[in-house]
Short mmCIF file of all heavy atoms in Angstrom, two decimals:
data_model
loop_
_atom_site.label_atom_id
_atom_site.label_comp_id
_atom_site.label_asym_id
_atom_site.label_seq_id
_atom_site.Cartn_x
_atom_site.Cartn_y
_atom_site.Cartn_z
N MET A 1 16.76 39.11 8.94
CA MET A 1 15.44 39.10 9.59
C MET A 1 15.36 37.91 10.56
O MET A 1 14.78 38.03 11.57
CB MET A 1 14.41 38.99 8.48
CG MET A 1 12.98 39.08 9.02
SD MET A 1 12.65 40.72 9.55
CE MET A 1 10.91 40.66 9.66
N SER A 2 15.97 36.82 10.21
CA SER A 2 15.94 35.66 11.05
C SER A 2 16.59 35.90 12.40
O SER A 2 16.07 35.47 13.46
CB SER A 2 16.58 34.47 10.37
OG SER A 2 16.61 33.34 11.23
N GLN A 3 17.73 36.59 12.39
CA GLN A 3 18.42 36.90 13.61
C GLN A 3 17.59 37.82 14.51
O GLN A 3 17.55 37.65 15.73
CB GLN A 3 19.77 37.52 13.30
CG GLN A 3 20.63 37.75 14.55
CD GLN A 3 21.98 38.36 14.19
OE1 GLN A 3 22.22 38.73 13.07
NE2 GLN A 3 22.84 38.44 15.17
N GLU A 4 16.90 38.78 13.89
CA GLU A 4 16.05 39.67 14.63
C GLU A 4 14.90 38.91 15.30
O GLU A 4 14.62 39.19 16.48
CB GLU A 4 15.46 40.74 13.71
CG GLU A 4 16.48 41.71 13.15
CD GLU A 4 15.91 42.62 12.09
OE1 GLU A 4 14.67 42.66 11.94
OE2 GLU A 4 16.70 43.29 11.43
N MET A 5 14.29 37.99 14.60
CA MET A 5 13.20 37.21 15.15
C MET A 5 13.72 36.35 16.30
O MET A 5 13.03 36.19 17.32
CB MET A 5 12.53 36.36 14.09
CG MET A 5 11.70 37.16 13.12
SD MET A 5 10.45 38.22 13.92
CE MET A 5 9.42 37.00 14.70
N THR A 6 14.90 35.81 16.16
CA THR A 6 15.46 34.98 17.21
C THR A 6 15.67 35.82 18.51
O THR A 6 15.32 35.38 19.58
CB THR A 6 16.82 34.37 16.79
OG1 THR A 6 16.59 33.60 15.60
CG2 THR A 6 17.41 33.52 17.86
N ARG A 7 16.16 37.04 18.34
CA ARG A 7 16.38 37.91 19.46
C ARG A 7 15.00 38.27 20.14
O ARG A 7 14.89 38.20 21.33
CB ARG A 7 17.09 39.20 19.06
CG ARG A 7 17.50 40.04 20.27
CD ARG A 7 18.11 41.36 19.90
NE ARG A 7 19.24 41.20 19.01
CZ ARG A 7 19.79 42.22 18.36
NH1 ARG A 7 19.34 43.44 18.51
NH2 ARG A 7 20.80 42.02 17.55
N ILE A 8 14.05 38.57 19.30
CA ILE A 8 12.72 38.91 19.84
C ILE A 8 12.10 37.71 20.52
O ILE A 8 11.52 37.82 21.59
CB ILE A 8 11.80 39.45 18.72
CG1 ILE A 8 12.28 40.80 18.26
CG2 ILE A 8 10.34 39.52 19.16
CD1 ILE A 8 11.62 41.36 17.04
N GLN A 9 12.28 36.52 19.96
CA GLN A 9 11.76 35.30 20.61
C GLN A 9 12.47 35.04 21.94
O GLN A 9 11.83 34.60 22.90
CB GLN A 9 11.94 34.11 19.65
CG GLN A 9 11.01 34.15 18.49
CD GLN A 9 11.35 33.11 17.42
OE1 GLN A 9 12.44 32.56 17.42
NE2 GLN A 9 10.39 32.87 16.52
N LYS A 10 13.76 35.31 22.02
CA LYS A 10 14.49 35.17 23.29
C LYS A 10 13.96 36.15 24.33
O LYS A 10 13.82 35.80 25.51
CB LYS A 10 15.98 35.35 23.06
CG LYS A 10 16.64 34.19 22.37
CD LYS A 10 18.14 34.42 22.22
CE LYS A 10 18.80 33.29 21.50
NZ LYS A 10 20.25 33.50 21.32
N ILE A 11 13.67 37.37 23.90
CA ILE A 11 13.09 38.38 24.81
C ILE A 11 11.75 37.90 25.33
O ILE A 11 11.49 37.92 26.54
CB ILE A 11 12.99 39.75 24.11
CG1 ILE A 11 14.37 40.32 23.86
CG2 ILE A 11 12.11 40.70 24.93
CD1 ILE A 11 14.36 41.54 22.94
N GLU A 12 10.92 37.42 24.42
CA GLU A 12 9.58 36.91 24.82
C GLU A 12 9.73 35.73 25.79
O GLU A 12 9.03 35.62 26.79
CB GLU A 12 8.77 36.51 23.61
CG GLU A 12 8.29 37.66 22.81
CD GLU A 12 7.53 37.23 21.55
OE1 GLU A 12 7.92 36.23 20.95
OE2 GLU A 12 6.56 37.91 21.22
N LYS A 13 10.64 34.82 25.48
CA LYS A 13 10.85 33.66 26.35
C LYS A 13 11.31 34.09 27.73
O LYS A 13 10.87 33.58 28.75
CB LYS A 13 11.89 32.72 25.72
CG LYS A 13 12.09 31.45 26.44
CD LYS A 13 13.08 30.53 25.69
CE LYS A 13 13.38 29.29 26.48
NZ LYS A 13 14.35 28.43 25.79
N GLY A 14 12.23 35.06 27.78
CA GLY A 14 12.72 35.55 29.06
C GLY A 14 11.61 36.22 29.84
O GLY A 14 11.52 36.01 31.09
N LEU A 15 10.78 37.00 29.19
CA LEU A 15 9.68 37.65 29.90
C LEU A 15 8.67 36.63 30.42
O LEU A 15 8.16 36.75 31.55
CB LEU A 15 8.95 38.63 28.93
CG LEU A 15 9.74 39.91 28.65
CD1 LEU A 15 9.02 40.72 27.57
CD2 LEU A 15 9.96 40.76 29.89
N ASN A 16 8.41 35.58 29.63
CA ASN A 16 7.51 34.52 30.11
C ASN A 16 8.08 33.82 31.35
O ASN A 16 7.35 33.51 32.29
CB ASN A 16 7.24 33.52 28.98
CG ASN A 16 6.36 34.05 27.91
OD1 ASN A 16 5.58 34.96 28.12
ND2 ASN A 16 6.45 33.53 26.72
N LYS A 17 9.37 33.54 31.31
CA LYS A 17 10.04 32.90 32.46
C LYS A 17 9.96 33.78 33.69
O LYS A 17 9.72 33.29 34.80
CB LYS A 17 11.47 32.55 32.08
CG LYS A 17 12.22 31.87 33.18
CD LYS A 17 11.67 30.49 33.51
CE LYS A 17 12.52 29.82 34.58
NZ LYS A 17 11.80 28.72 35.25
N LEU A 18 10.18 35.10 33.51
CA LEU A 18 10.04 36.01 34.66
C LEU A 18 8.63 35.95 35.24
O LEU A 18 8.47 35.91 36.45
CB LEU A 18 10.33 37.44 34.20
CG LEU A 18 11.78 37.86 34.13
CD1 LEU A 18 11.92 39.23 33.45
CD2 LEU A 18 12.39 37.85 35.52
N GLY A 19 7.63 35.95 34.36
CA GLY A 19 6.26 35.83 34.84
C GLY A 19 6.00 34.54 35.59
O GLY A 19 5.35 34.54 36.65
N ASN A 20 6.53 33.47 35.06
CA ASN A 20 6.38 32.16 35.74
C ASN A 20 7.04 32.16 37.10
O ASN A 20 6.51 31.62 38.06
CB ASN A 20 6.95 31.05 34.90
CG ASN A 20 6.13 30.79 33.64
OD1 ASN A 20 4.97 31.22 33.53
ND2 ASN A 20 6.72 30.14 32.65
N ASN A 21 8.24 32.77 37.19
CA ASN A 21 8.98 32.83 38.46
C ASN A 21 8.15 33.62 39.49
O ASN A 21 8.08 33.23 40.67
CB ASN A 21 10.33 33.45 38.30
CG ASN A 21 11.32 32.47 37.72
OD1 ASN A 21 11.01 31.32 37.45
ND2 ASN A 21 12.54 32.94 37.48
N LEU A 22 7.59 34.74 39.06
CA LEU A 22 6.77 35.57 39.99
C LEU A 22 5.54 34.81 40.48
O LEU A 22 5.21 34.83 41.65
CB LEU A 22 6.36 36.86 39.31
CG LEU A 22 7.47 37.86 39.00
CD1 LEU A 22 6.95 39.01 38.19
CD2 LEU A 22 8.09 38.36 40.29
N THR A 23 4.88 34.11 39.56
CA THR A 23 3.73 33.32 39.95
C THR A 23 4.10 32.21 40.91
O THR A 23 3.41 31.98 41.92
CB THR A 23 3.06 32.71 38.68
OG1 THR A 23 2.69 33.77 37.79
CG2 THR A 23 1.83 31.90 39.05
N GLU A 24 5.20 31.54 40.61
CA GLU A 24 5.64 30.43 41.51
C GLU A 24 6.01 30.95 42.87
O GLU A 24 5.63 30.34 43.90
CB GLU A 24 6.82 29.69 40.89
CG GLU A 24 7.24 28.51 41.69
CD GLU A 24 8.38 27.70 41.04
OE1 GLU A 24 8.73 27.98 39.89
OE2 GLU A 24 8.95 26.85 41.73
N ALA A 25 6.70 32.09 42.93
CA ALA A 25 7.11 32.66 44.24
C ALA A 25 5.86 33.06 45.03
O ALA A 25 5.86 32.89 46.27
CB ALA A 25 7.97 33.87 44.00
N GLN A 26 4.83 33.55 44.40
CA GLN A 26 3.62 33.94 45.08
C GLN A 26 2.84 32.73 45.67
O GLN A 26 2.19 32.87 46.70
CB GLN A 26 2.70 34.71 44.15
CG GLN A 26 3.21 36.09 43.83
CD GLN A 26 2.36 36.79 42.77
OE1 GLN A 26 1.51 36.19 42.14
NE2 GLN A 26 2.60 38.08 42.60
N THR A 27 2.96 31.58 45.02
CA THR A 27 2.21 30.41 45.45
C THR A 27 2.97 29.57 46.48
O THR A 27 2.37 28.67 47.10
CB THR A 27 1.83 29.48 44.27
OG1 THR A 27 3.01 29.06 43.62
CG2 THR A 27 0.94 30.24 43.30
N LEU A 28 4.26 29.86 46.67
CA LEU A 28 5.03 29.07 47.65
C LEU A 28 4.65 29.47 49.06
O LEU A 28 4.31 30.62 49.35
CB LEU A 28 6.53 29.33 47.49
CG LEU A 28 7.17 28.72 46.21
CD1 LEU A 28 8.59 29.19 46.05
CD2 LEU A 28 7.10 27.18 46.27
N GLY A 29 4.71 28.54 49.96
CA GLY A 29 4.35 28.78 51.37
C GLY A 29 5.43 29.52 52.11
O GLY A 29 6.53 29.81 51.60
N ALA A 30 5.15 29.85 53.33
CA ALA A 30 6.10 30.65 54.15
C ALA A 30 7.38 29.87 54.47
O ALA A 30 8.39 30.47 54.78
CB ALA A 30 5.40 31.04 55.44
N PHE A 31 7.37 28.57 54.42
CA PHE A 31 8.53 27.74 54.72
C PHE A 31 9.42 27.49 53.53
O PHE A 31 10.39 26.75 53.62
CB PHE A 31 8.10 26.42 55.36
CG PHE A 31 7.36 26.63 56.65
CD1 PHE A 31 5.99 26.44 56.70
CD2 PHE A 31 8.02 26.99 57.80
CE1 PHE A 31 5.29 26.63 57.87
CE2 PHE A 31 7.34 27.18 58.99
CZ PHE A 31 5.98 27.01 59.04
N SER A 32 9.11 28.10 52.44
CA SER A 32 9.90 27.90 51.18
C SER A 32 10.79 29.10 50.86
O SER A 32 10.96 29.46 49.71
CB SER A 32 8.93 27.64 50.02
OG SER A 32 8.09 26.54 50.26
N MET A 33 11.39 29.68 51.87
CA MET A 33 12.20 30.88 51.68
C MET A 33 13.41 30.58 50.81
O MET A 33 13.81 31.43 49.97
CB MET A 33 12.65 31.46 53.01
CG MET A 33 11.51 32.16 53.77
SD MET A 33 10.60 33.32 52.80
CE MET A 33 11.82 34.57 52.56
N GLY A 34 14.02 29.43 50.93
CA GLY A 34 15.17 29.10 50.09
C GLY A 34 14.82 29.09 48.61
O GLY A 34 15.52 29.65 47.78
N LYS A 35 13.69 28.48 48.31
CA LYS A 35 13.21 28.45 46.90
C LYS A 35 12.87 29.85 46.41
O LYS A 35 13.16 30.21 45.27
CB LYS A 35 12.02 27.51 46.78
CG LYS A 35 11.47 27.39 45.36
CD LYS A 35 12.48 26.73 44.44
CE LYS A 35 11.87 26.51 43.03
NZ LYS A 35 12.81 26.07 42.07
N LYS A 36 12.26 30.67 47.28
CA LYS A 36 11.92 32.03 46.89
C LYS A 36 13.19 32.83 46.61
O LYS A 36 13.20 33.65 45.68
CB LYS A 36 11.11 32.70 48.01
CG LYS A 36 9.67 32.22 48.11
CD LYS A 36 8.89 32.93 49.15
CE LYS A 36 7.46 32.49 49.23
NZ LYS A 36 6.70 33.24 50.24
N ILE A 37 14.21 32.62 47.37
CA ILE A 37 15.48 33.34 47.16
C ILE A 37 16.09 32.87 45.85
O ILE A 37 16.57 33.71 45.07
CB ILE A 37 16.45 33.11 48.32
CG1 ILE A 37 15.91 33.85 49.57
CG2 ILE A 37 17.86 33.61 47.98
CD1 ILE A 37 16.65 33.52 50.85
N GLU A 38 16.06 31.58 45.55
CA GLU A 38 16.57 31.08 44.27
C GLU A 38 15.80 31.70 43.10
O GLU A 38 16.42 32.15 42.10
CB GLU A 38 16.45 29.57 44.21
CG GLU A 38 17.42 28.83 45.07
CD GLU A 38 17.13 27.31 45.01
OE1 GLU A 38 16.62 26.82 43.97
OE2 GLU A 38 17.46 26.63 46.00
N LEU A 39 14.49 31.78 43.21
CA LEU A 39 13.67 32.38 42.16
C LEU A 39 13.99 33.85 41.99
O LEU A 39 14.06 34.35 40.85
CB LEU A 39 12.19 32.20 42.46
CG LEU A 39 11.62 30.78 42.28
CD1 LEU A 39 10.22 30.66 42.85
CD2 LEU A 39 11.67 30.35 40.80
N ALA A 40 14.18 34.57 43.10
CA ALA A 40 14.52 35.98 43.02
C ALA A 40 15.85 36.21 42.34
O ALA A 40 16.01 37.12 41.52
CB ALA A 40 14.50 36.60 44.41
N GLU A 41 16.84 35.39 42.69
CA GLU A 41 18.15 35.50 42.06
C GLU A 41 18.08 35.22 40.56
O GLU A 41 18.65 35.95 39.75
CB GLU A 41 19.17 34.58 42.71
CG GLU A 41 19.52 34.98 44.11
CD GLU A 41 20.41 33.97 44.83
OE1 GLU A 41 20.50 32.80 44.34
OE2 GLU A 41 20.99 34.31 45.87
N GLU A 42 17.39 34.13 40.19
CA GLU A 42 17.22 33.80 38.76
C GLU A 42 16.47 34.91 38.05
O GLU A 42 16.83 35.30 36.94
CB GLU A 42 16.46 32.48 38.63
CG GLU A 42 16.26 32.11 37.19
CD GLU A 42 15.41 30.80 37.01
OE1 GLU A 42 14.86 30.30 37.97
OE2 GLU A 42 15.36 30.34 35.90
N SER A 43 15.44 35.44 38.69
CA SER A 43 14.66 36.52 38.05
C SER A 43 15.45 37.79 37.84
O SER A 43 15.30 38.43 36.79
CB SER A 43 13.42 36.79 38.91
OG SER A 43 12.55 35.68 38.91
N SER A 44 16.35 38.09 38.76
CA SER A 44 17.16 39.32 38.56
C SER A 44 18.14 39.12 37.44
O SER A 44 18.34 40.06 36.62
CB SER A 44 17.88 39.69 39.87
OG SER A 44 18.79 38.68 40.22
N ARG A 45 18.68 37.95 37.27
CA ARG A 45 19.60 37.69 36.11
C ARG A 45 18.81 37.73 34.83
O ARG A 45 19.23 38.29 33.80
CB ARG A 45 20.30 36.32 36.27
CG ARG A 45 21.33 36.32 37.35
CD ARG A 45 22.17 35.04 37.35
NE ARG A 45 21.36 33.84 37.51
CZ ARG A 45 21.03 33.28 38.65
NH1 ARG A 45 21.41 33.83 39.79
NH2 ARG A 45 20.30 32.21 38.68
N LEU A 46 17.60 37.13 34.82
CA LEU A 46 16.77 37.12 33.63
C LEU A 46 16.34 38.54 33.25
O LEU A 46 16.36 38.90 32.08
CB LEU A 46 15.48 36.31 33.89
CG LEU A 46 15.57 34.83 33.57
CD1 LEU A 46 14.32 34.14 34.12
CD2 LEU A 46 15.71 34.58 32.10
N ALA A 47 15.97 39.34 34.26
CA ALA A 47 15.56 40.72 33.98
C ALA A 47 16.69 41.50 33.34
O ALA A 47 16.46 42.26 32.37
CB ALA A 47 15.15 41.40 35.27
N TYR A 48 17.90 41.38 33.83
CA TYR A 48 19.06 42.04 33.23
C TYR A 48 19.28 41.58 31.79
O TYR A 48 19.49 42.41 30.88
CB TYR A 48 20.29 41.76 34.06
CG TYR A 48 21.54 42.43 33.45
CD1 TYR A 48 21.76 43.80 33.60
CD2 TYR A 48 22.46 41.69 32.73
CE1 TYR A 48 22.84 44.39 33.03
CE2 TYR A 48 23.56 42.30 32.16
CZ TYR A 48 23.75 43.65 32.31
OH TYR A 48 24.83 44.25 31.76
N ALA A 49 19.19 40.31 31.54
CA ALA A 49 19.39 39.73 30.19
C ALA A 49 18.33 40.26 29.22
O ALA A 49 18.61 40.65 28.10
CB ALA A 49 19.43 38.22 30.21
N VAL A 50 17.09 40.24 29.70
CA VAL A 50 15.97 40.70 28.86
C VAL A 50 16.09 42.17 28.54
O VAL A 50 15.95 42.60 27.39
CB VAL A 50 14.62 40.37 29.50
CG1 VAL A 50 13.50 41.12 28.83
CG2 VAL A 50 14.36 38.89 29.49
N LEU A 51 16.40 42.97 29.54
CA LEU A 51 16.56 44.42 29.32
C LEU A 51 17.72 44.72 28.39
O LEU A 51 17.66 45.60 27.54
CB LEU A 51 16.72 45.15 30.65
CG LEU A 51 15.45 45.26 31.47
CD1 LEU A 51 15.76 45.85 32.85
CD2 LEU A 51 14.41 46.08 30.79
N SER A 52 18.83 43.95 28.53
CA SER A 52 19.99 44.16 27.64
C SER A 52 19.61 43.83 26.20
O SER A 52 19.97 44.57 25.27
CB SER A 52 21.15 43.29 28.09
OG SER A 52 21.59 43.69 29.38
N ALA A 53 18.90 42.73 26.03
CA ALA A 53 18.47 42.33 24.67
C ALA A 53 17.48 43.34 24.10
O ALA A 53 17.56 43.66 22.90
CB ALA A 53 17.86 40.95 24.71
N MET A 54 16.59 43.83 24.89
CA MET A 54 15.64 44.83 24.41
C MET A 54 16.35 46.12 24.01
O MET A 54 16.03 46.73 22.99
CB MET A 54 14.58 45.11 25.48
CG MET A 54 13.60 43.98 25.68
SD MET A 54 12.45 44.21 27.02
CE MET A 54 11.51 45.60 26.42
N PHE A 55 17.34 46.53 24.82
CA PHE A 55 18.11 47.72 24.51
C PHE A 55 18.85 47.56 23.19
O PHE A 55 18.89 48.45 22.33
CB PHE A 55 19.05 48.03 25.65
CG PHE A 55 19.81 49.32 25.45
CD1 PHE A 55 19.20 50.55 25.52
CD2 PHE A 55 21.17 49.28 25.18
CE1 PHE A 55 19.90 51.74 25.31
CE2 PHE A 55 21.89 50.45 24.98
CZ PHE A 55 21.24 51.67 25.07
N ALA A 56 19.46 46.39 23.00
CA ALA A 56 20.19 46.12 21.73
C ALA A 56 19.23 46.17 20.56
O ALA A 56 19.58 46.68 19.50
CB ALA A 56 20.87 44.76 21.83
N GLU A 57 18.04 45.60 20.72
CA GLU A 57 17.04 45.59 19.66
C GLU A 57 16.62 47.02 19.33
O GLU A 57 16.52 47.39 18.15
CB GLU A 57 15.84 44.75 20.07
CG GLU A 57 14.80 44.58 19.00
CD GLU A 57 15.27 43.70 17.83
OE1 GLU A 57 16.20 42.86 18.06
OE2 GLU A 57 14.74 43.86 16.74
N LEU A 58 16.41 47.83 20.35
CA LEU A 58 16.00 49.23 20.12
C LEU A 58 17.13 50.02 19.42
O LEU A 58 16.85 50.84 18.56
CB LEU A 58 15.60 49.89 21.43
CG LEU A 58 14.31 49.39 22.05
CD1 LEU A 58 14.09 50.01 23.42
CD2 LEU A 58 13.11 49.75 21.17
N LYS A 59 18.36 49.76 19.82
CA LYS A 59 19.48 50.43 19.15
C LYS A 59 19.55 50.08 17.71
O LYS A 59 19.81 50.94 16.84
CB LYS A 59 20.80 50.08 19.89
CG LYS A 59 21.03 50.88 21.14
CD LYS A 59 22.29 50.45 21.86
CE LYS A 59 23.53 50.68 21.03
NZ LYS A 59 24.77 50.36 21.76
N GLU A 60 19.33 48.83 17.40
CA GLU A 60 19.37 48.36 16.00
C GLU A 60 18.23 48.98 15.18
O GLU A 60 18.41 49.43 14.05
CB GLU A 60 19.28 46.84 15.95
CG GLU A 60 19.51 46.32 14.56
CD GLU A 60 19.60 44.80 14.57
OE1 GLU A 60 20.22 44.23 15.49
OE2 GLU A 60 19.03 44.17 13.65
N ILE A 61 17.05 49.03 15.80
CA ILE A 61 15.93 49.66 15.12
C ILE A 61 16.23 51.13 14.84
O ILE A 61 15.96 51.65 13.73
CB ILE A 61 14.62 49.52 15.95
CG1 ILE A 61 14.20 48.04 15.97
CG2 ILE A 61 13.53 50.41 15.42
CD1 ILE A 61 13.08 47.73 16.94
N LYS A 62 16.77 51.84 15.83
CA LYS A 62 17.06 53.25 15.66
C LYS A 62 18.10 53.43 14.56
O LYS A 62 18.04 54.39 13.79
CB LYS A 62 17.57 53.83 16.99
CG LYS A 62 17.83 55.30 16.92
CD LYS A 62 18.30 55.83 18.25
CE LYS A 62 18.63 57.34 18.14
NZ LYS A 62 19.15 57.84 19.37
N ALA A 63 19.09 52.57 14.52
CA ALA A 63 20.15 52.67 13.52
C ALA A 63 19.61 52.46 12.08
O ALA A 63 20.13 53.00 11.15
CB ALA A 63 21.26 51.68 13.78
N ASN A 64 18.55 51.69 11.95
CA ASN A 64 17.99 51.37 10.65
C ASN A 64 16.89 52.33 10.22
O ASN A 64 16.37 52.19 9.14
CB ASN A 64 17.45 49.94 10.63
CG ASN A 64 18.58 48.95 10.72
OD1 ASN A 64 19.67 49.15 10.23
ND2 ASN A 64 18.33 47.81 11.36
N VAL A 65 16.56 53.28 11.04
CA VAL A 65 15.52 54.22 10.69
C VAL A 65 16.05 55.44 10.02
O VAL A 65 17.11 55.91 10.17
CB VAL A 65 14.69 54.65 11.95
CG1 VAL A 65 13.72 55.78 11.64
CG2 VAL A 65 13.97 53.45 12.51
#
């Protein structure tokens, strides 16, 4: 159960970070394109990691049902 909670907490943390990146990108000015690109790259990696973890969690739930 502890490992499951850790995975779920990591998913929640990743989703929160994605939300923060989106908010930060929206508030940056027009001259901050470099920072916006960095945020977009980080967000795409985070999105992949979060989706992979969610898929693993769903597979585990399905296997235990």
Side-chain angles (χ1 to χ4, degrees):
M1 185 71 165
S2 176
Q3 185 179 8
E4 293 171 12
M5 288 306 296
T6 301
R7 188 184 306 168
I8 291 171
Q9 289 169 343
K10 286 181 182 179
I11 291 170
E12 288 177 323
K13 184 177 177 182
L15 289 172
N16 287 337
K17 180 64 177 161
L18 277 171
N20 291 342
N21 283 359
L22 291 173
T23 302
E24 184 177 349
Q26 289 174 348
T27 59
L28 288 172
F31 297 105
S32 302
M33 288 308 293
K35 181 65 175 173
K36 286 183 179 182
I37 291 170
E38 288 176 28
L39 287 170
E41 289 174 346
E42 179 183 10
S43 295
S44 64
R45 289 189 302 272
L46 272 170
Y48 178 78
V50 166
L51 288 173
S52 296
M54 289 174 66
F55 183 70
E57 187 68 25
L58 290 173
K59 280 177 62 176
E60 188 173 319
I61 290 170
K62 183 179 178 184
N64 291 328
V65 172

